[in-house]
Amino acid sequence: MADEFDMSLVQRGARLRRTPYFAATQRYGARGYTVYNHMLFPINYGDLETEYWNLINNVTIWDVSVERQVEITGPDGFEFANLLTPRDLSKCAVGQGKYVLITDDQGGIINDPVLLRLGENHFWLALADSDVLLWAKGVALSAGMAVEISEPDVSPLQIQGPKSKGVIQALFGDEILNLDYYFFKETQLDGIPVVVTRTGWSGEVGYELYLRDSREGERLWERIMEAGKPYGIVPTGPSDIRRVEAGILNYGADMTLENNPYEVGLGWLVDLDQEADFIGKEALARIKSEGVRRKLVGVEIEGGPLAFNMTRWPILADGVGIGEVTSAIYSPRLDRNIGYAMVPIEKAGLGQRLTVAVADIGERRATVVRKPFFDPEKELPKG
Amino acid sequence: MADEFDMSLVQRGARLRRTPYFAATQRYGARGYTVYNHMLFPINYGDLETEYWNLINNVTIWDVSVERQVEITGPDGFEFANLLTPRDLSKCAVGQGKYVLITDDQGGIINDPVLLRLGENHFWLALADSDVLLWAKGVALSAGMAVEISEPDVSPLQIQGPKSKGVIQALFGDEILNLDYYFFKETQLDGIPVVVTRTGWSGEVGYELYLRDSREGERLWERIMEAGKPYGIVPTGPSDIRRVEAGILNYGADMTLENNPYEVGLGWLVDLDQEADFIGKEALARIKSEGVRRKLVGVEIEGGPLAFNMTRWPILADGVGIGEVTSAIYSPRLDRNIGYAMVPIEKAGLGQRLTVAVADIGERRATVVRKPFFDPEKELPKG
């Protein structure tokens, strides 16, 4: 057993919640914890490259209970959920999930959850790091809808990688393999209530297990580790190398409330043509028709392998900041430094040359390139 | 110079914001960072007891930029701010601050900021750890008020301890000493724009400097360190020993959205008699008239010195959990383990005997006692 991580390095008092898998993450040697939605989030167990190779060659388990849920129920549950997001939820079946944005009235991005439709008027939002519970409650105050908004006892784990299908099959039997990309199934495992979704944050085939009883975290974790043993399962943090390869954005780093969907390339999540109103519709229609002034583009940064950026790196033109690299990391299989940069629209064209002020290193040349950097048709996760 | 803290233990990528004083906190040897309002928060530089003695005997500087601000302006700014909080803001003068609660429509506590009234319709809320910006924007959507809600470029530092007056006098001259408890002054220091408030989270005399230009963090920090040198100033985290002695609550640990003001002893922040409506008024009137079913009480826990609790410790009756210790810490000058516990109302009377399941240790006996544990009339901070 590994030495436990000293939590006093990252918390003071009992303010932050621990996940139902916390003891397991300590026992399996988590070597860092960040905070996400007011909860402690195990971010890595070893070096990022080893975790990456495990993900793309085998299978990994991540504790992502920090994707705290907002549950929407009540007779007007559909209408309310549809008001919260620019995506047209009439196209989301019961039993289906959707990647959605939550926007404010200016079109600013509040969050980018995976939404699950559990019933006609019953939804979960698996959140990125912002208090959508408070936003939704504030909106509901005078929306005049019959709706209830709460945080359910739901704690997701991700099981990701090419061998995740074997693990899930071992746990739930053959039928689970019929689950289509972004669909889910409510089921149980040795009496432990779970929702199994065909989703993930990896660009690989993957599943999420949403545990519905936080008292069962320990038992669920060990049950998965046991079933995953023949497949080489290991606990890791989410892989930023792999998600950047896949063009996946990280809320807070690659987009914030200051960004609208169009400038970060998520205009496909905005259904302006739907009849229903949603928060931000007017602003987003205006932004779309006017066009954006800046854009999040793919970049390749020259020179030797760069460590994952911990701050945004300025993009300079004649020594003046004109944009920022939001995420940048070295991809071992591409043998390149890849990432995203928010740049003025006139610098966003493919092939544009940029200068990046890399923290602790200095200036590096970069080029605007197409993203995703790997598997652009998402054949892997859908496969 | 101390070794820098390895930030990869607590963050992954550029998702979390750093404060304007971040480089200084690293240079002065911060030994831990937590996350608060999506920002990195230096929580200690040495052991908690040494920091405590520095606070109560001399003067300490804390980077609390994580108290992110919500700014409310616009013609209906007063009306909107007054809608957000149960406290009657007609009693808050321009130039004055108030400790307030933000409540939802059920009377649940969303946050407990210090509010500053900068103009008739101009307010700042210095937040505890929850996204009040989103709550306020959600409420404003259909409130029909002419109001703007934003996050200003404001980064507070606390300067706390009996010698803080000397430091502030050295920085701003004699006149600043006329500032009454919870009042503030907009001023500047060598051209750096700041608001100086007579507030703090310590139970000691103290000030906060709200920096209004994040580019000046480094210069402000060093200017204070220089002025504070003769007074023995040292950078520390906030002192949980001292704030528990003072009966000060920590949002997220001692109260959450699940609590109402009456059960945590903050009923004095609810002005039900005011004519104006506020969010939660009806619910809070009902709760007050019905009486609370549980209460946050002061406790003394027997036995040797306990380390600060990192989880809530169950309170057991016949082996069953009936409540929780929310904060508990050893006070060196009182030579006792002191803290708070949420208990059923029938266990809340002074002298009640409790059994606490202390993490990693086991059962300890405890007694309900009066709080604050030290200086109950707040003579020190007002002095």
Side-chain angles (χ1 to χ4, degrees):
Chain A
M1 289 298 156
D3 279 348
E4 291 201 352
F5 182 83
D6 175 5
M7 298 306 297
S8 75
L9 298 174
V10 300
Q11 69 167 128
R12 229 190 59 220
R15 188 177 59 82
L16 302 169
R17 265 180 25 193
R18 294 178 175 185
T19 82
Y21 317 109
F22 178 79
T25 66
Q26 280 277 31
R27 199 167 59 244
Y28 281 82
R31 285 166 49 173
Y33 288 82
T34 191
V35 179
Y36 198 99
N37 282 325
H38 318 284
M39 294 182 76
L40 290 156
F41 180 13
I43 47 178
N44 68 296
Y45 294 70
D47 72 280
L48 300 185
E49 283 202 21
T50 306
E51 295 196 349
Y52 163 82
W53 290 116
N54 264 307
L55 169 64
I56 66 176
N57 291 326
N58 300 306
V59 54
T60 55
I61 177 174
W62 324 341
D63 174 3
V64 290
S65 306
V66 299
E67 291 173 3
R68 275 166 88 152
Q69 311 295 306
V70 165
E71 182 166 69
I72 297 168
T73 56
D76 296 330
F78 171 79
E79 203 187 337
F80 186 75
N82 208 36
L83 175 70
L84 284 188
T85 174
R87 203 156 185 188
D88 181 356
L89 296 185
S90 69
K91 295 172 184 162
C92 181
V94 173
Q96 191 176 5
K98 292 277 183 190
Y99 178 52
V100 301
L101 296 176
I102 309 292
T103 47
D104 74 1
D105 57 326
Q106 303 303 306
I109 301 173
I110 287 176
N111 207 288
D112 68 327
V114 170
L115 168 148
L116 301 185
R117 187 171 189 179
L118 291 109
E120 284 301 323
N121 290 296
H122 185 188
F123 297 85
W124 285 350
L125 303 172
L127 297 177
D129 182 33
S130 73
D131 294 334
V132 172
L133 184 70
L134 297 181
W135 167 254
K137 280 177 181 276
V139 170
L141 267 190
S142 26
M145 293 187 198
V147 66
E148 274 159 52
I149 302 156
S150 61
E151 189 192 345
D153 176 7
V154 172
S155 305
L157 286 170
Q158 297 206 6
I159 299 173
Q160 303 282 311
K163 296 183 184 164
S164 62
K165 282 196 170 183
V167 180
I168 292 291
Q169 188 181 17
L171 289 168
F172 296 98
D174 295 347
E175 206 197 328
I176 199 84
L177 298 180
N178 298 328
L179 210 52
D180 284 329
Y181 190 50
Y182 264 82
F183 280 76
F184 66 86
K185 188 178 153 102
E186 302 186 54
T187 180
Q188 50 153 291
L189 184 69
D190 301 343
I192 307 171
V194 293
V195 175
V196 182
T197 68
R198 189 61 207 283
T199 56
W201 202 70
S202 72
E204 297 290 330
V205 170
Y207 295 84
E208 289 182 82
L209 265 57
Y210 289 64
L211 170 63
R212 298 180 94 157
D213 179 348
S214 53
R215 295 166 304 181
E216 297 282 15
E218 190 63 29
R219 199 154 70 94
L220 178 61
W221 178 282
E222 286 303 337
R223 189 72 182 72
I224 297 166
M225 291 307 293
E226 181 198 328
K229 207 170 184 180
Y231 302 92
I233 199 167
V234 289
T236 69
S239 172
D240 283 284
I241 305 173
R242 185 62 189 93
R243 69 101 185 162
V244 173
E245 286 180 351
I248 298 170
L249 306 187
N250 187 16
Y251 186 75
D254 306 313
M255 57 182 157
T256 72
L257 190 57
E258 305 302 313
N259 298 119
N260 66 64
Y262 297 108
E263 63 191 16
V264 298
L266 295 177
W268 62 280
L269 297 176
V270 181
D271 291 325
L272 287 174
D273 294 339
Q274 64 182 308
E275 253 182 67
D277 197 17
F278 60 83
I279 298 167
K281 192 174 191 182
E282 202 182 309
L284 288 168
R286 194 188 62 242
I287 293 165
K288 189 182 182 187
S289 87
E290 290 176 356
V292 296
R293 284 186 290 269
R294 56 183 182 176
K295 203 173 158 193
L296 192 74
V297 296
V299 289
E300 265 183 44
I301 304 174
E302 295 175 5
L306 293 171
F308 189 27
N309 67 309
M310 303 287 263
T311 55
R312 298 205 187 132
W313 294 336
I315 294 171
L316 305 175
D318 302 323
V320 177
I322 58 161
E324 285 178 328
V325 169
T326 60
S327 288
I329 202 158
Y330 174 72
S331 164
R333 68 173 151 189
L334 300 176
D335 189 22
R336 292 202 292 269
N337 298 307
I338 58 176
Y340 314 133
M342 181 61 80
V343 294
I345 195 73
E346 60 275 16
K347 297 281 186 187
L350 291 178
Q352 277 278 350
R353 300 282 288 157
L354 304 170
T355 300
V356 180
V358 177
D360 305 324
I361 287 187
E363 292 187 8
R364 287 266 184 109
R365 296 288 284 162
T367 307
V368 175
V369 298
R370 211 179 290 279
K371 65 176 168 64
F373 301 88
F374 194 86
D375 185 28
E377 301 306 321
K378 294 193 190 182
E379 286 168 15
L380 281 174
K382 291 177 183 170
Chain B
M1 287 303 157
D3 279 348
E4 289 200 353
F5 182 83
D6 175 5
M7 298 307 295
S8 74
L9 298 174
V10 300
Q11 68 166 128
R12 227 191 58 220
R15 188 176 60 83
L16 302 169
R17 267 181 23 195
R18 293 179 175 186
T19 82
Y21 318 107
F22 178 80
T25 64
Q26 279 278 30
R27 199 166 61 244
Y28 281 82
R31 285 167 50 175
Y33 288 81
T34 192
V35 179
Y36 198 98
N37 282 324
H38 318 282
M39 295 183 76
L40 289 156
F41 180 13
I43 47 177
N44 68 296
Y45 294 70
D47 72 281
L48 300 186
E49 283 202 21
T50 306
E51 295 196 352
Y52 163 83
W53 291 115
N54 265 306
L55 169 63
I56 66 177
N57 290 327
N58 299 306
V59 54
T60 56
I61 176 174
W62 324 340
D63 173 3
V64 290
S65 306
V66 298
E67 291 172 4
R68 274 167 88 153
Q69 311 295 307
V70 165
E71 181 166 70
I72 297 168
T73 57
D76 295 329
F78 171 79
E79 204 186 337
F80 186 75
N82 208 37
L83 175 69
L84 284 188
T85 174
R87 204 158 184 187
D88 181 357
L89 296 184
S90 69
K91 294 172 184 162
C92 180
V94 173
Q96 190 175 5
K98 292 278 183 189
Y99 178 52
V100 301
L101 297 176
I102 308 292
T103 47
D104 74 3
D105 58 326
Q106 303 304 307
I109 301 172
I110 287 176
N111 207 289
D112 67 328
V114 169
L115 168 149
L116 300 185
R117 188 172 190 179
L118 291 110
E120 284 300 323
N121 289 297
H122 186 189
F123 297 86
W124 285 350
L125 303 173
L127 296 178
D129 181 33
S130 74
D131 293 336
V132 171
L133 184 70
L134 298 181
W135 167 253
K137 279 178 182 276
V139 170
L141 268 190
S142 27
M145 292 188 197
V147 67
E148 275 158 52
I149 301 156
S150 62
E151 189 193 344
D153 176 7
V154 172
S155 306
L157 285 170
Q158 297 207 5
I159 300 173
Q160 303 283 312
K163 295 181 184 165
S164 62
K165 283 197 169 182
V167 179
I168 292 291
Q169 187 179 19
L171 289 168
F172 296 98
D174 295 347
E175 206 196 328
I176 199 82
L177 298 181
N178 299 328
L179 211 51
D180 284 328
Y181 189 52
Y182 264 82
F183 280 77
F184 66 86
K185 187 178 155 105
E186 301 185 54
T187 181
Q188 50 153 290
L189 185 68
D190 301 344
I192 306 170
V194 291
V195 175
V196 182
T197 68
R198 188 64 205 283
T199 56
W201 202 69
S202 71
E204 296 290 329
V205 170
Y207 294 84
E208 288 182 82
L209 265 58
Y210 288 64
L211 170 63
R212 298 180 93 158
D213 179 349
S214 53
R215 296 166 304 181
E216 297 282 15
E218 190 62 30
R219 199 153 70 93
L220 178 62
W221 177 283
E222 286 303 338
R223 189 70 183 74
I224 297 167
M225 291 307 293
E226 182 198 327
K229 206 169 185 180
Y231 301 93
I233 199 167
V234 289
T236 68
S239 173
D240 282 284
I241 305 173
R242 186 63 188 91
R243 68 100 186 162
V244 173
E245 286 180 351
I248 297 170
L249 306 188
N250 187 16
Y251 186 75
D254 305 313
M255 57 184 157
T256 73
L257 190 56
E258 305 303 313
N259 299 119
N260 66 64
Y262 297 108
E263 64 192 14
V264 298
L266 295 177
W268 62 281
L269 297 176
V270 181
D271 291 326
L272 287 174
D273 294 339
Q274 65 183 308
E275 252 181 68
D277 197 17
F278 60 83
I279 298 167
K281 192 174 190 181
E282 202 181 308
L284 289 168
R286 195 188 60 243
I287 292 165
K288 189 181 181 186
S289 87
E290 289 176 357
V292 296
R293 283 185 291 270
R294 56 184 182 175
K295 203 174 159 194
L296 192 74
V297 295
V299 287
E300 267 184 44
I301 304 175
E302 296 174 6
L306 292 172
F308 189 25
N309 67 311
M310 304 285 263
T311 54
R312 297 203 189 135
W313 294 335
I315 294 171
L316 305 175
D318 302 322
V320 176
I322 58 162
E324 284 178 328
V325 169
T326 61
S327 289
I329 203 159
Y330 174 72
S331 164
R333 68 174 150 188
L334 300 176
D335 190 22
R336 291 203 290 269
N337 298 307
I338 59 176
Y340 314 134
M342 182 62 80
V343 293
I345 196 71
E346 60 273 17
K347 297 280 185 187
L350 292 178
Q352 277 279 350
R353 300 283 287 158
L354 304 170
T355 301
V356 181
V358 177
D360 305 323
I361 288 187
E363 292 188 8
R364 286 267 184 109
R365 297 287 285 162
T367 307
V368 175
V369 298
R370 209 178 291 279
K371 66 177 168 64
F373 300 89
F374 193 86
D375 185 27
E377 301 305 321
K378 295 193 191 182
E379 286 167 16
L380 282 173
K382 291 177 182 170

